RNA sequence: GCCCAUGUGGCGGAAUUGGUAGACGCAGCAGACUCAAAAUCUGCCAUUCGCAAGGGUGUGAAGGUUCGAUUCCUUUCGUGGGCACCA
């Protein structure tokens, strides 16, 4: 009987489905374990081999934990709101719900083929009204909460209102609105609108005016991704900043707790570092500078108050409110010109061109409070209005940007750090002893920071201040395919819907184009927008809304009365293992951490970090093969159908080498001569699906070319005859023409023609082979290139395993004989290794341990059930189908998925002797088998008698003999 | 520029707390079986000198610590990722 993986896998997948073996209960005597994958966006392209890497890893771990006696939750769902479906709808008119449904069906069938142990009854889809009802509900919780600065947690906004009514918001109550103080009486005197405006400043989900990328020509708001070099990606139209009312999440309120929480979770150090950088906490001081001949003061933020005596100039953001007030009459013209220039520059440009130094002197001077020095005040685009106070004190000897600015505008530089400053570049050291620094002279800079701030505070000219780089998270999108906001605007007040009115379902639209004035498509549906109570919010929530809490919904997916029953979330608690890519390092992971903290603060769940352990899977890269192909613009392609079958047909096709050699010289085509310079559109082009058709020497042959361009109806000869454009590099050993391709390793993506479809591999080799091969490629965390060829090796291994049970001719070969010690040793060595490797997610070495085990069993011709069935259990997480099949062939009843994990018996691995490497001066020269219970002296005697050792000693006495028990022996001469 | 990874045969990758570098697999070569092919099996497979026995070199590079370094330290180069006029 041979290994018919297709039949076997189909059989067991059907059986498992019928028996609902993956159904998970919220009630169990077993300890719980929650394994989560980052759920996919169901794109139209389907899965490629890069996707399942993390899914296989989590599946292995889930199955392992189940065998180890845990009640394992391992769900899967779809992040099904998003821009691509909407764009597709815009192009084809198909409703996003329809395409999404279709895509999800494809994804599910692909996933099922690989044999994952998902409990599909717990599936969630973020675009399902039964799901987004609760996304909207949680939004309302955010809207109706504020961050209490004394308790450092979210509280219901009603409590804040009560405080304002009884105590007002005076500086000492601890709950002021930024820059606003009022008494209880004043509060009561405010209009409803005024009160709501104040409350909006404290809500965790709030609305304010913010800037969006507005493209006049397209009449729509664009995402940052859709703007390239200041113009729209599609069409290349100009994009400008436009102020619009936007929703935000006050994630900045949680900055400190998000930082602290990192200490309690197992994320990789680099992941934590990325989040820390994003939050960007910096400690410093804000201080006020008196401006000469002006009653205004200039407030700056600095992290280095110790350098106060090195301040040679001030730089203020061009948008700073003081600019107009301090500019002198003489400088006014220049400043206006500069402001005009800055206005013309998008933020993107300002950020992109860091090298060019621009700026303008205002004519005003600030006074250094410590030495009375007059400091010129400049404006420059390198200082951003949005960070700190929008003004800095420039210390050119200590900051490279300040240094470059000073050099460019010939501003004299004060050196306060002695030899640390070379005059060639700034030095941001904190180790220097301060000079030219008044009361700070002689202090180490590190120590001077505190001294300086103390003095600044004592003089009442400034305070300690913590700043964050992180901004509040923009939460509106001017799009259709997202959760509608449960908000109605009434007389300028945002009024939330009642919970009973949820879900607020997405209305049907006929057109997916933008609404007027930059609003989203929903603004076009006047019936829906205008309600008796007021006008509905027309923007929708961003993609990360639904994904910020989906891990909770899996715990209680069908609950119609709450987002997740407290009993369920108390039982499953944190996600024990979360597997996904690094691309979500700062987006999704920070948002879901924040939502979890809010829900925790409000008493809705019992934990405030969602993910206990995070494993980042690496990227699987693909090989993209390149040739040069280009059009000659005045030529028609003579085989008209070619245009229809393939838009990427070229008049000239050649290897990159030939193109580079020929350069701009002349190409002849149909008797007409072309120079490369004349050719309108030429590009290095990827060869389609070339990883399938390029030979082992990266050559694209005539046959491969035909397949590559999928020209079923046209032979390459025909194309060549009609357009005469292929520059062959030579002939293969078989006499076939070929073009030599160059290749690059790139991220797998459909647009790069370098994807490999898991379905095809599952059909050809089986899911078990595919699963094990993906793991065998290398460590899960590492990114690695895909190479389909290697899969044969894993497939051979599984066939070999099969042949331990079944012979192709003889049939059943397994026996009930008692295993020998040697055979038990192989088994227990494997148990130990597989368990250790699985625990530490070292799946690649686990697969190789299986191979070694099977090779060893073959060598000793072990076909004994007692050994084999234990190995099958070990293999369940990795290759569940073949394990189940062989388990039943051995005569076992019931599913192997519920078997008990074998226990490792150390006694079987105890050795009495060890093959020691003997090295002379650190180089291994011989091997010697010695009993383990020998002492140093006995070992020395035996070693010195050894012929090889004698030879290397050359009659001399050894200086020292190092004997490390169970490791090695080293003779030092 | 800063931060974090990472660098080992033709390729993917192994290698406990410093203890026989290259496990396992791919590709390649040679052979067995076969009419043939597939499948399977056996052997070789870092590099260099040598018929061989055996020796030299070798984990990006250069130093260091050590009886002993892929592993620890210093310097340096390359690659990948993240952040960035953030004061």
């Amino acid at each position: 009987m041979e290994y018919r993986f297709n039949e076997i896998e189909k059989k067991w997948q059907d059986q498992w489905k019928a028996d609902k073996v993956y159904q998970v209960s919220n009630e169990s005597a077993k300890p719980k374990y929650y394994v989560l994958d980052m759920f996919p966006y169901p794109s139209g392209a389907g899965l490629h081999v890069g996707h399942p890497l993390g899914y296989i890893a989590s599946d292995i771990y889930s199955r392992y934990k189940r065998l180890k006696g845990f009640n394992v939750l391992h769900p899967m769902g779809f992040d099904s709101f998003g821009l691509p479906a909407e764009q597709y709808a815009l192009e084809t008119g198909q409703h996003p719900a329809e395409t999404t449904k279709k895509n999800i069906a494809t994804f599910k069938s692909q996933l099922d083929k690989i044999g994952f142990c998902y409990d599909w009854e717990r599936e969630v889809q973020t675009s399902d009204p039964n799901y987004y009802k609760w996304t909207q509900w949680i939004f309302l919780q955010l809207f109706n909460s504020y961050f209490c600065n004394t308790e450092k947690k979210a509280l219901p906004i009603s409590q804040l209102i009560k405080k304002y009514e009884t105590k007002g918001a005076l500086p000492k109550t601890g709950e002021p609105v930024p820059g606003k103080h009022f008494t209880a009486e004043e509060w009561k005197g405010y209009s409803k609108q005024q009160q709501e405006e104040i409350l909006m400043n404290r809500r965790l989900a709030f609305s304010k005016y913010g800037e969006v990328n507005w493209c006049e020509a397209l009449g729509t708001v664009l995402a940052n991704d859709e703007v390239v070099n200041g113009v729209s990606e599609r069409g290349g139209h100009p994009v400008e900043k436009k102020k619009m009312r936007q929703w935000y999440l006050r994630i900045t309120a949680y900055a400190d707790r998000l930082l602290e929480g990192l200490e309690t979770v197992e994320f990789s150090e680099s992941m934590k570092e990325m989040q820390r950088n994003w939050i960007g906490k910096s400690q410093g001081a804000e201080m006020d500078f008196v401006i000469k001949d002006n009653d205004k003061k200039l407030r700056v933020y600095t992290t280095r108050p110790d350098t106060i005596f090195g301040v040679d100039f001030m730089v203020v953001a061009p948008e700073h409110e003081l600019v107009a007030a301090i500019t002198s009459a003489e400088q006014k013209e220049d400043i206006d010109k500069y402001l005009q220039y800055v206005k013309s520059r998008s933020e993107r440009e300002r950020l992109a061109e860091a090298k060019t130094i621009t700026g303008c002197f205002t004519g005003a001077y600030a006074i250094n409070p410590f030495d009375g020095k007059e400091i010129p005040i400049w404006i420059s685009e390198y200082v951003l209005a949005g960070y700190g106070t929008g003004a800095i004190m420039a210390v050119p000897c200590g900051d490279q940007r300040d240094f470059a600015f000073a050099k460019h505008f010939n501003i004299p530089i004060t050196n306060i750090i002695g030899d640390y400053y070379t005059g060639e570049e700034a030095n941001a050291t904190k180790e220097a002893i301060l000079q030219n620094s008044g009361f700070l002279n002689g202090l180490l800079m590190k120590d001077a920071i505190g001294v300086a701030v103390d003095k600044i505070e004592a003089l009442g000219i400034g305070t300690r201040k913590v700043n964050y780089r992180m901004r509040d998270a923009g939460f509106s999108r001017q799009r259709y395919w997202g959760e509608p906001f449960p908000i109605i605007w009434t007389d300028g007040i945002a009024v939330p819907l009642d919970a009973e009115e949820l879900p607020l379902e997405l209305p049907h639209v006929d057109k997916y184009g933008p609404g007027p004035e930059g609003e989203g498509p929903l603004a076009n549906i006047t019936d829906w927008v205008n309600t008796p109570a007021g006008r509905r919010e027309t923007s929708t929530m961003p993609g990360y809304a639904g994904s910020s809490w989906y891990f909770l919904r899996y715990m209680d997916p069908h609950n119609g009365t709450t987002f997740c029953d407290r009993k369920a979330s108390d039982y499953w608690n944190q996600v024990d293992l979360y597997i996904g890519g690094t691309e979500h390092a700062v987006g999704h992971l920070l948002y879901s951490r924040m939502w979890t903290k809010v829900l925790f603060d409000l008493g809705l769940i019992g934990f405030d970090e969602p993910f206990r352990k995070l494993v980042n899977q690496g990227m699987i890269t693909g090989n993209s093969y390149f040739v040069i192909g280009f059009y000659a613009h005045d030529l028609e392609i003579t085989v008209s159908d070619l245009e229809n079958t393939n838009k990427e047909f070229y008049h000239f096709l050649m290897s990159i080498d030939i193109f580079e050699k020929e350069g701009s010289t002349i190409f002849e085509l149909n008797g007409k001569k072309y120079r490369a310079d004349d050719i309108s559109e030429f590009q290095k082009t990827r060869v389609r699906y070339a990883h399938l058709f390029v030979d082992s020497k990266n050559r694209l042959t005539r046959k491969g070319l035909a397949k590559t361009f999928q020209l079923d109806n046209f032979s390459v000869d025909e194309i060549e005859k009609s357009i005469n454009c292929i520059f062959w590099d030579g002939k293969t050993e078989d006499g076939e023409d070929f073009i030599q391709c160059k290749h690059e390793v790139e991220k797998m993506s459909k647009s790069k023609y370098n994807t490999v479809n898991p379905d095809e591999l599952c059909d050809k080799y089986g899911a078990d082979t595919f699963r094990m091969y993906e793991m065998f490629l290398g460590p899960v965390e590492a990114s690695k290139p895909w190479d389909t060829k290697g899969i044969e090796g894993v497939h051979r291994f599984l066939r070999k395993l099969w042949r331990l049970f079944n012979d192709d001719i003889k049939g059943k070969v397994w026996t009930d004989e008692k295993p020998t010690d040697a055979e038990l040793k192989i088994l227990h060595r494997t148990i130990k290794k597989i368990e250790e490797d699985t625990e530490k997610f070292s799946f690649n070495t686990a697969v190789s341990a299986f191979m070694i085990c099977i090779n060893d069993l073959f060598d000793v011709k072990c076909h004994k059930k007692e050994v084999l069935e234990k190995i099958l259990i070990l293999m369940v997480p990795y290759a569940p189908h073949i394990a189940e099949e062989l388990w039943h062939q051995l005569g076992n009843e019931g599913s192997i998925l519920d078997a008990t994990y074998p226990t490792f018996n150390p006694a079987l691995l105890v050795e009495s002797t060890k093959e020691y490497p003997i090295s002379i001066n650190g180089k291994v020269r011989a091997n010697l088998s010695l009993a383990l219970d020998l002492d140093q002296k006995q070992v020395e005697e035996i070693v010195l008698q050894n012929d090889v050792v004698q030879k290397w000693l050359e009659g001399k006495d050894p200086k020292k003999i190092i004997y490390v028990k169970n490791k090695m022996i080293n003779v030092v001469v």
Side-chain angles (χ1 to χ4, degrees):
Chain A
M1 198 162 60
E2 59 182 322
Y3 172 39
R4 291 207 196 88
F5 49 87
N6 284 323
E7 285 169 29
I8 292 166
E9 290 175 3
K10 176 88 178 39
K11 175 171 112 193
W12 290 111
Q13 282 177 10
D14 290 347
Q15 185 72 46
W16 290 331
K17 202 170 169 184
D19 295 347
K20 300 194 173 184
V21 291
Y22 298 138
Q23 210 175 66
V24 184
S25 166
N26 282 5
E27 276 164 39
S28 168
K30 296 178 189 171
K32 71 97 190 182
Y33 200 88
Y34 187 0
V35 180
L36 183 67
D37 293 288
M38 288 186 187
F39 63 166
Y41 174 78
S43 80
L47 289 176
H48 60 66
V49 292
H51 292 108
L53 184 73
Y55 303 156
I56 295 170
S58 65
D59 199 64
I60 287 173
Y61 205 74
S62 302
R63 289 172 179 277
Y64 169 75
K65 276 288 177 184
R66 175 175 173 158
L67 291 169
K68 280 285 197 175
F70 287 81
N71 187 30
V72 179
L73 178 57
H74 182 219
M76 182 48 88
F78 299 94
D79 188 13
S80 48
F81 271 136
L83 203 48
E86 182 162 339
Q87 262 157 359
Y88 191 71
L90 206 56
E91 286 159 23
T92 65
Q94 278 198 68
H95 196 281
E98 293 299 315
T99 48
T100 301
K101 198 174 150 193
K102 219 184 304 170
N103 292 346
I104 287 177
T106 311
F107 265 67
K108 277 175 93 164
S109 82
Q110 284 188 295
L111 290 170
D112 281 340
K113 235 179 178 157
I114 304 170
F116 293 122
C117 63
Y118 303 131
D119 179 358
W120 279 119
E121 291 188 21
R122 290 177 183 255
E123 175 187 354
V124 302
Q125 296 179 11
T126 55
S127 61
D128 177 352
N130 291 323
Y131 180 86
Y132 69 68
K133 169 182 179 176
W134 299 108
T135 309
Q136 291 170 332
W137 185 83
I138 295 172
F139 168 80
L140 291 182
Q141 308 309 304
L142 291 159
F143 178 79
N144 285 319
S145 304
Y146 77 107
F147 192 82
C148 173
N149 292 318
T150 43
E151 291 188 45
K152 304 281 179 213
K153 61 182 275 201
L155 292 173
I157 196 98
S158 53
Q159 291 190 23
L160 185 66
I161 297 172
K162 216 168 274 165
K163 263 190 202 169
Y164 286 165
E165 283 170 349
T166 53
K167 296 190 215 151
L170 296 169
K172 277 175 196 156
T173 63
E175 298 298 344
V177 175
K180 214 167 172 142
H181 303 299
F182 47 83
T183 63
E185 278 60 45
E186 282 172 318
W187 168 260
K188 285 170 196 156
Y190 290 149
S191 69
K192 179 84 179 138
Q193 272 83 358
Q194 285 171 317
Q195 288 184 345
E196 283 299 331
E197 204 185 313
I198 288 167
L199 293 176
M200 198 57 110
N201 276 312
R202 298 302 306 273
R203 294 180 189 276
L204 287 180
F206 65 100
S207 161
K208 68 169 185 186
Y209 280 91
E211 287 185 336
V212 293
N213 301 308
W214 168 250
C215 180
E216 183 74 42
L218 296 174
T220 184
V221 171
L222 298 175
N224 278 332
D225 290 3
E226 299 173 294
V227 185
V228 179
N229 296 325
V231 297
S232 65
E233 189 183 19
R234 287 194 296 174
H237 306 294
V239 175
E240 58 187 81
K241 291 279 168 201
K242 177 177 171 151
K243 287 239 173 195
M244 282 184 69
R245 212 172 231 297
Q246 298 283 315
W247 286 93
Y248 292 87
L249 297 186
R250 203 177 301 283
I251 193 168
T252 50
Y254 280 89
D256 268 326
R257 279 178 58 191
L258 288 168
L259 275 177
E260 288 158 13
L262 287 176
E263 307 302 322
T264 69
V265 294
E266 278 180 65
F267 294 6
S268 68
E269 207 33 58
S270 62
M271 180 66 46
K272 290 184 178 181
E273 199 55 30
M274 266 189 249
Q275 296 206 1
R276 287 192 198 108
N277 286 340
W278 184 264
I279 295 166
K281 182 174 182 167
S282 72
Q283 315 247 16
E286 266 183 19
M287 63 183 295
D288 291 324
F289 285 81
V290 171
I291 301 172
K292 191 184 167 193
D293 302 330
N294 195 310
D295 53 2
K296 298 254 182 354
K297 283 181 179 168
L298 180 64
R299 171 167 290 192
V300 303
Y301 174 71
T302 179
T303 53
R304 295 296 301 275
D306 54 313
T307 60
I308 179 70
F309 289 93
V311 177
D312 291 314
F313 57 100
M314 298 284 183
V315 189
V316 172
E319 299 86 350
H320 197 281
E321 53 178 10
L322 274 181
V323 171
I326 63 172
T327 303
S328 67
E330 307 88 76
Q331 291 300 112
K332 182 142 188 2
E333 201 180 316
D334 285 352
I335 287 283
D336 284 347
K337 236 196 281 177
Y338 186 72
L339 289 178
Q340 204 56 43
Y341 156 78
V342 172
K343 221 177 209 168
S344 75
R345 292 175 44 89
S346 69
E347 188 170 344
R348 195 165 273 267
E349 282 174 314
R350 281 174 66 171
L351 294 176
E353 295 164 29
K355 301 285 178 295
T356 32
I357 297 162
T358 67
C360 186
F361 177 47
T362 60
Y365 292 88
I367 307 295
N368 188 321
F370 296 111
D371 59 8
K373 202 169 113 182
E374 294 186 1
I375 309 166
I377 303 176
W378 289 65
I379 64 171
S380 173
E381 57 180 343
Y382 84 88
V383 173
L384 299 180
Y387 184 79
T389 61
I392 63 160
M393 53 181 232
V395 183
C397 73
D399 183 289
Q400 191 54 37
R401 283 156 308 154
D402 298 348
F403 177 83
F405 194 87
K407 282 283 174 201
H408 188 262
F409 290 106
N410 285 316
I411 302 168
I413 296 171
T414 309
N415 180 17
I416 54 167
I417 52 173
D419 293 343
Y420 281 86
Y421 175 65
T422 58
E424 299 296 317
E425 57 182 358
N427 187 338
T429 181
K430 289 182 184 170
E431 304 299 328
I433 305 283
L434 284 161
Q435 308 178 2
N436 299 326
S437 288
F439 69 95
L440 296 173
N441 270 337
L443 284 175
L444 194 61
M445 296 181 97
K446 276 199 283 205
D447 306 329
I449 295 176
V451 176
V453 184
D454 287 345
K455 185 97 173 187
I456 290 164
E457 289 192 323
L459 290 174
I461 52 174
T463 52
R464 284 193 158 76
K465 173 93 184 179
V466 173
N467 259 334
Y468 300 95
R469 197 179 74 82
M470 183 168 65
R471 308 286 165 81
D472 284 326
F475 199 64
S476 334
R477 302 288 184 262
Q478 283 64 43
R479 301 286 175 192
Y480 173 73
W481 194 231
E483 301 87 348
F485 281 86
I487 292 286
I488 294 178
W489 290 93
T490 311
D491 300 327
I493 298 170
V495 181
L497 298 188
D498 287 335
E500 294 74 51
E501 297 175 80
L502 301 179
L504 173 62
E505 289 204 34
L506 262 179
H508 241 271
V509 290
D510 297 323
K511 285 195 195 132
Y512 303 94
E517 300 298 316
E519 282 193 76
L522 292 178
N524 292 327
I525 321 168
T526 42
D527 292 356
W528 181 82
V529 169
N530 298 309
T531 75
R535 194 167 190 273
R536 284 192 200 278
E537 170 65 51
T538 59
S539 50
T540 54
M541 299 185 199
Y544 66 80
S547 60
S548 290
W549 72 282
Y550 74 114
F551 59 94
L552 292 169
R553 190 63 179 172
Y554 285 133
M555 300 172 179
D556 191 11
H558 306 294
N559 199 321
T561 54
T562 178
F563 69 105
C564 173
D565 190 75
R566 181 65 197 259
K567 234 170 81 190
S569 63
D570 279 348
Y571 175 68
W572 289 110
N573 207 269
Q574 285 174 295
V575 172
D576 295 285
L577 173 66
Y578 195 25
I579 297 189
T582 36
E583 66 270 23
H584 300 293
V586 288
H588 159 65
L589 281 168
L590 275 178
Y591 300 130
S592 50
R593 290 182 59 217
M594 178 209 169
W595 284 43
T596 304
K597 287 178 191 303
V598 176
L599 293 172
F600 171 77
D601 289 351
L602 298 177
L604 298 165
I605 55 174
F607 47 93
D608 88 330
E609 278 293 339
F611 314 118
R612 193 199 302 277
K613 181 178 172 69
L614 174 71
V615 170
N616 289 115
Q617 93 226 31
M619 199 167 39
I620 291 194
T621 49
N623 269 319
S624 305
Y625 296 84
F626 294 94
V627 297
I628 295 270
F630 45 87
Y631 300 99
H633 53 89
D634 58 340
L635 275 186
E636 292 295 316
I637 286 176
T638 42
V639 182
S640 59
D641 302 60
L642 285 181
E643 278 281 288
N644 302 330
T645 44
N646 190 339
K647 280 187 197 146
E648 290 188 35
F649 205 82
Y650 295 88
H651 286 111
F652 297 93
L653 216 51
M654 67 191 72
S655 66
I656 290 165
D657 285 343
I658 288 206
F659 180 77
E660 278 167 359
K661 204 161 62 194
E662 301 286 319
S664 64
T665 55
I666 289 163
F667 300 100
E668 204 174 308
L669 179 54
N670 289 354
K672 198 173 165 193
K673 287 180 175 173
Y674 295 87
R675 293 166 54 84
D677 308 346
D678 298 333
I679 291 157
S680 64
E681 201 183 316
F682 75 90
Q683 51 186 302
K684 192 165 86 166
T685 182
R686 290 182 174 83
V687 183
R688 285 187 165 205
Y689 311 112
H691 54 91
L692 302 176
F693 306 125
V694 168
D695 72 10
S696 60
K697 289 178 179 157
N698 297 344
R699 297 178 301 194
L700 187 62
T701 59
R702 191 175 277 267
K703 227 184 278 164
L705 188 68
K707 282 190 203 148
T708 297
F709 283 89
Q710 298 179 314
L711 299 172
D712 300 336
N713 304 322
F714 303 96
S715 71
V716 178
D717 290 343
E718 247 179 285
I719 303 158
E720 222 177 350
K721 207 162 63 194
S722 59
I723 50 179
N724 190 23
C725 62
I726 303 170
F727 293 75
W728 300 108
D729 281 311
K731 282 191 195 300
T732 65
E733 299 75 15
D734 305 336
E736 228 192 321
D737 295 319
F738 71 86
I739 302 179
Q740 186 68 49
C741 299
K742 281 260 157 75
H743 80 278
E744 267 172 38
V745 173
E746 290 183 305
K747 185 175 176 176
M748 258 194 202
S749 131
K750 185 151 189 170
S751 64
K752 290 172 179 154
Y753 300 124
N754 61 358
T755 58
V756 180
N757 188 329
D759 289 8
E760 292 164 16
L761 295 169
C762 284
D763 289 342
K764 194 163 171 200
Y765 299 102
D768 287 336
T769 299
F770 177 68
R771 291 165 63 104
M772 289 192 97
Y773 182 56
E774 283 238 356
M775 292 301 102
F776 189 56
L777 280 175
V780 199
E781 289 100 330
S783 65
K784 48 217 166 257
W786 179 263
D787 177 16
T788 300
K789 277 181 288 198
I791 200 169
E792 296 277 358
V794 175
H795 192 59
R796 275 197 276 266
F797 152 73
L798 283 179
R799 279 206 308 257
K800 195 163 177 177
L801 169 75
W802 182 265
R803 282 187 285 118
L804 278 177
F805 297 75
N806 294 294
D807 189 277
D808 286 359
I809 300 146
K810 285 184 275 184
K812 173 195 144 194
V813 288
W814 60 269
T815 69
D816 283 318
E817 284 169 65
K818 267 246 148 294
T820 64
D821 282 353
E823 288 162 347
L824 286 175
K825 202 178 238 176
I826 294 171
L827 171 65
H828 282 264
R829 204 173 52 209
T830 307
I831 296 174
K832 179 164 186 277
K833 176 78 174 150
I834 298 297
E835 191 167 338
E836 284 171 358
D837 285 357
T838 307
E839 285 283 359
K840 61 179 188 191
F841 306 101
S842 181
F843 304 124
N844 56 327
T845 51
V847 174
S848 100
F850 279 124
M851 290 172 168
I852 293 168
C853 170
I854 299 306
N855 288 344
D856 287 350
L857 291 178
F858 243 90
D859 287 347
V860 298
K861 298 192 172 60
C862 171
H863 300 276
K864 294 164 185 166
K865 176 176 170 174
E866 198 179 319
V867 171
L868 294 181
E869 70 179 2
K870 296 260 166 48
I871 289 178
L872 289 180
I873 301 171
L874 295 181
M875 285 203 59
V876 166
Y878 294 83
H881 309 87
I882 192 173
E884 182 83 289
E885 172 67 22
L886 292 174
W887 175 257
H888 284 269
Q889 286 187 17
L890 288 181
N892 288 295
E893 296 292 326
S895 173
I896 193 172
L897 307 183
D898 296 315
T900 308
Y901 208 79
T903 36
F904 161 61
N905 179 2
L908 288 165
L909 294 196
V910 173
E911 305 268 357
S912 57
T913 63
K914 153 98 186 163
E915 186 84 356
Y916 282 95
I918 315 288
S919 39
I920 318 285
N921 289 333
K923 280 206 183 301
V924 179
R925 299 296 181 184
N927 277 301
L928 209 51
S929 189
L930 297 177
L932 275 172
D933 51 9
L934 296 179
D935 64 21
Q936 172 89 24
K937 211 163 166 194
Q938 292 168 302
V939 169
E940 284 185 20
E941 271 171 35
I942 299 169
V943 165
L944 285 176
Q945 279 163 17
N946 183 280
D947 288 350
V948 181
V949 174
Q950 279 304 322
K951 185 190 137 196
W952 283 93
L953 279 176
E954 293 170 332
K956 283 174 253 171
D957 274 338
K959 240 192 222 162
K960 198 157 121 195
I961 295 177
I962 292 149
Y963 165 57
V964 185
K965 199 170 170 185
N966 216 5
K967 291 278 186 206
M968 46 65 67
I969 294 157
N970 190 16
V971 182
V972 187
V973 184

